[in-house]
Amino acid sequence: MNLEKLIQGCIKQKSKAQEELYNQYKASLFVLSLKYCANETEAEDNLHNSFIEIFTSIKSYKGSGSFEGWMKRITINKAIDSYKKQFQLTPIKEEWVDTDVEEKELDFPLDDILKLVQELPNQYRMVFCLYELDDHSHKEIASMLSISENTSKSNLHRAKSILKDKIKGKNSFQKKHNVSNGEQ
């Protein structure tokens, strides 16, 4: 079934069309959910809630812009809504210093990087993903998460610092491990 027929079937609440749409997009939307959620269980819940919203509001999709982009916005917004319900955002009371995080030695598989991002404290993870992975501005992030722009900048800086330290730690562990095993 082509996309237009799938959308029309979903608007008419045809279970076969909904199942096909789900099967076609569940993998990409799950990966997107993983970026914003702390673990796979939360990502699965977010995916489920996103598809409920997609099926409920599909008749509001006007056909302008990418349908997949429309679904991704719903998925990200569901993750943000869930985050806001679970955690009260508290601004970090410190001066934000703009320092570049070196991006050398990022020779890690994508799965490892995703795991490191998921280990970030919730507020840092949300800001990092919105800014670095989805190209939102600090002004947009501040509005979405109900924080100040400076808090968004500070959280991004802290997230990058934490990731940098974890990557350095993994690199030094790998180098020590390789040397102790006689590899160089």
Side-chain angles (χ1 to χ4, degrees):
M1 213 182 294
N2 72 23
L3 184 57
E4 184 60 37
K5 287 183 180 178
L6 272 180
I7 293 170
Q8 289 305 313
C10 290
I11 289 172
K12 295 176 184 174
Q13 298 181 345
K14 304 276 185 180
S15 61
K16 188 162 184 87
Q18 290 174 331
E19 181 181 0
E20 193 171 328
L21 185 76
Y22 175 82
N23 288 332
Q24 190 170 339
Y25 290 100
K26 69 180 176 185
S28 64
L29 295 181
F30 179 70
V31 170
L32 181 63
S33 293
L34 280 172
K35 291 190 319 188
Y36 289 93
C37 299
N39 55 51
E40 286 188 17
T41 303
E42 281 184 23
E44 288 170 1
D45 288 346
N46 190 65
L47 180 69
H48 174 77
N49 293 335
S50 298
F51 269 105
I52 289 173
E53 180 69 24
I54 288 165
F55 294 138
T56 302
S57 61
I58 197 164
K59 55 186 156 275
S60 71
Y61 174 68
K62 302 295 182 205
S64 60
S66 158
F67 180 69
E68 186 172 0
W70 180 78
M71 291 191 303
K72 285 180 177 182
R73 269 193 315 280
I74 288 173
T75 303
I76 291 168
N77 287 336
K78 282 292 173 191
I80 291 170
D81 290 346
S82 175
Y83 170 72
K84 282 181 174 180
K85 287 178 188 172
Q86 290 178 6
F87 302 97
Q88 180 162 1
L89 299 174
T90 53
I92 296 171
K93 305 246 192 238
E94 65 180 64
E95 222 175 281
W96 179 72
V97 180
D98 188 0
T99 58
D100 290 329
V101 176
E102 291 181 27
E103 295 182 15
K104 297 176 186 172
E105 300 181 6
L106 286 180
D107 190 20
F108 278 77
L110 183 58
D111 287 347
D112 289 349
I113 292 172
L114 182 58
K115 285 178 186 168
L116 292 176
V117 169
Q118 287 177 321
E119 291 172 4
L120 289 170
N122 292 316
Q123 190 166 342
Y124 299 161
R125 183 183 67 249
M126 295 299 283
V127 171
F128 179 84
C129 289
L130 287 167
Y131 187 85
E132 291 294 338
L133 304 178
D134 291 320
D135 298 322
H136 289 282
S137 70
H138 286 294
K139 185 175 184 174
E140 292 170 326
I141 295 167
S143 174
M144 284 186 235
L145 299 180
S146 303
I147 58 177
S148 73
E149 286 183 56
N150 283 340
T151 299
S152 177
K153 291 174 184 178
S154 175
N155 288 345
L156 177 64
H157 171 72
R158 293 256 186 128
K160 286 181 173 182
S161 294
I162 291 169
L163 289 173
K164 178 182 173 184
D165 290 345
K166 287 184 179 207
I167 289 170
K168 279 184 175 179
K170 284 188 177 268
N171 275 341
S172 63
F173 174 79
Q174 288 173 344
K175 287 177 185 175
K176 285 179 185 177
H177 182 69
N178 291 342
V179 168
S180 68
N181 286 336
E183 298 175 20
Q184 290 190 347

